[in-house]
């Protein structure tokens, strides 16, 4: 984590160094994060030797991904506002953001000529929680007083990646860091209203421009529905050469500048 901390300090250093000026304003902010986690294009193999030793070396291939419904989470952090002109400011932020989604891992399988009646698809409910240390650097334009429009890039540094199979008795939250890259990148756009006494409210959209999933190959044990409310454990070899994963979210929150 030290490399991430140094990178954050390198981005913020010009703004912190200018903090001796009376014009520079520091603040805090927090709000709700309405996430849309997009994961698609995964490839997978199911080794058949786990069902019948005589089929060792045989596999069934499939394609799929994760279909997630947006969930509301949160973000919080600090801001530095640097006036350049009366109508133009630069705002740097250091935020802790949580992206969450709830849906299902779903895959369509090829026909299995070795095991009659083998399912042609699998689906397992899951919930994701991805936490980042996020550093946006935004240009703020004031078309009218107290109503800035903001746009700019951000860099995110992964802190925690957790996943949990829902609707399965006894399921526990697991570390899924092997699936995700430790860095994210994208753009932020939105607007705010600044009251005269330091309070402000904001609404903005965060667009993840980077594929956040690793290209990996791993054998993982998952529990999938087996009918009649029962689940069975299946080893799935997943590889993600063509996968797409993005973090998009709508944020609304409040803050205070000192």
């Amino acid at each position: 984590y030290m490399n991430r901390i140094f990178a954050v300090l390198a981005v913020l250093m010009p703004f912190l160094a200018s903090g001796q000026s009376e014009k520079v304003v520091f603040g805090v902010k927090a709000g709700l994060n309405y996430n849309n986690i997009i994961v698609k294009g995964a490839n997978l193999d199911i080794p058949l030797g786990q069902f019948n030793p005589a089929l060792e070396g045989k596999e069934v291939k499939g394609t799929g991904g994760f279909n997630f419904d947006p969930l509301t989470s949160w973000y919080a952090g600090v801001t530095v506002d640097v006036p350049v002109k009366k109508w133009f400011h630069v705002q740097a932020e250091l935020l802790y953001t949580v992206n969450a989604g709830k849906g299902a891992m779903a895959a369509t399988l090829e026909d299995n000529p070795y095991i009659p009646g083998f399912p042609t698809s699998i689906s397992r409910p899951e919930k994701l929680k991805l936490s980042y240390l996020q550093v946006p650097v935004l240009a703020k334009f004031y078309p009218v007083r107290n109503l800035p429009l903001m746009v700019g890039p951000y860099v995110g540094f992964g802190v925690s990646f957790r996943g949990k199979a829902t609707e399965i008795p006894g399921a526990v939250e697991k570390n899924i860091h092997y699936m995700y890259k430790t860095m994210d990148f994208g753009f932020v756009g939105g607007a705010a209203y600044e009251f005269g006494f330091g309070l402000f409210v904001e609404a903005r959209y965060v667009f993840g421009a980077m594929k956040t999933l690793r290209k990996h190959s791993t054998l993982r044990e998952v529990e999938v529905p087996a009918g009649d409310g029962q689940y069975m454990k299946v080893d799935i070899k997943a590889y993600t050469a063509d996968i797409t994963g993005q973090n998009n979210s709508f944020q609304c929150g409040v803050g205070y500048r000192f």
Side-chain angles (χ1 to χ4, degrees), residues 13-226:
M13 189 60 69
F15 305 103
L16 298 178
S18 62
Q20 301 300 320
S21 171
E22 293 181 356
K23 295 181 179 180
V24 175
V25 180
F26 295 84
V28 295
K29 62 188 292 186
L32 300 178
N33 207 22
Y34 188 67
N35 313 120
N36 184 18
I37 300 174
I38 302 172
V39 182
K40 58 184 179 180
N43 301 305
L44 56 88
D45 294 335
I46 299 180
L48 298 179
Q50 60 187 305
F51 306 108
N52 185 343
L55 297 176
E56 192 67 36
K58 304 292 185 182
E59 296 178 333
V60 169
K61 296 184 180 297
T63 59
F66 297 82
N67 300 314
F68 289 108
D69 294 325
L71 285 181
T72 301
S73 52
W74 58 275
Y75 68 95
V78 296
T79 69
V80 182
D81 184 279
V82 182
V84 179
K85 299 288 185 179
K86 184 176 181 180
W87 54 269
F88 176 68
H89 293 198
V90 174
Q91 180 169 297
E93 304 174 354
L94 179 59
L95 306 176
Y96 187 87
T97 67
V98 179
N99 298 335
K102 184 177 182 180
M105 176 196 74
T108 301
L109 306 178
E110 296 178 347
D111 291 336
N112 183 349
Y114 307 102
I115 303 177
F118 197 82
T120 57
S121 65
I122 57 174
S123 178
R124 185 184 75 159
E126 285 203 5
K127 183 177 181 180
L128 290 184
K129 184 167 67 175
L130 314 176
S131 301
Y132 289 89
L133 191 63
Q134 198 176 84
V135 186
V137 179
L138 308 176
K140 293 175 62 178
F141 301 92
Y142 286 81
V144 296
R145 185 180 179 183
N146 297 340
L147 185 63
L149 304 178
M150 299 172 288
V151 64
Y154 77 86
V155 177
F157 303 91
V159 176
S160 173
F161 305 114
R162 310 291 294 180
K164 181 180 180 180
T166 58
E167 301 180 12
I168 297 179
V172 296
E173 194 174 72
K174 296 182 179 180
N175 188 343
I176 55 172
H177 68 279
Y178 63 90
M179 293 179 59
Y180 284 87
K181 299 175 183 177
T182 56
M183 183 173 287
D184 187 20
F185 173 80
F187 299 92
V188 179
Y193 186 82
E194 300 173 347
F195 297 91
F197 50 90
L199 183 71
F200 66 91
V201 294
E202 65 177 12
R204 59 194 198 178
Y205 187 78
V206 181
F207 172 74
M210 184 175 175
K211 293 183 178 181
T212 57
L213 281 145
R214 296 180 185 271
K215 293 182 178 180
H216 74 284
S217 178
T218 182
L219 188 68
R220 55 188 298 233
E221 184 183 74
V222 301
E223 293 173 297
V224 299

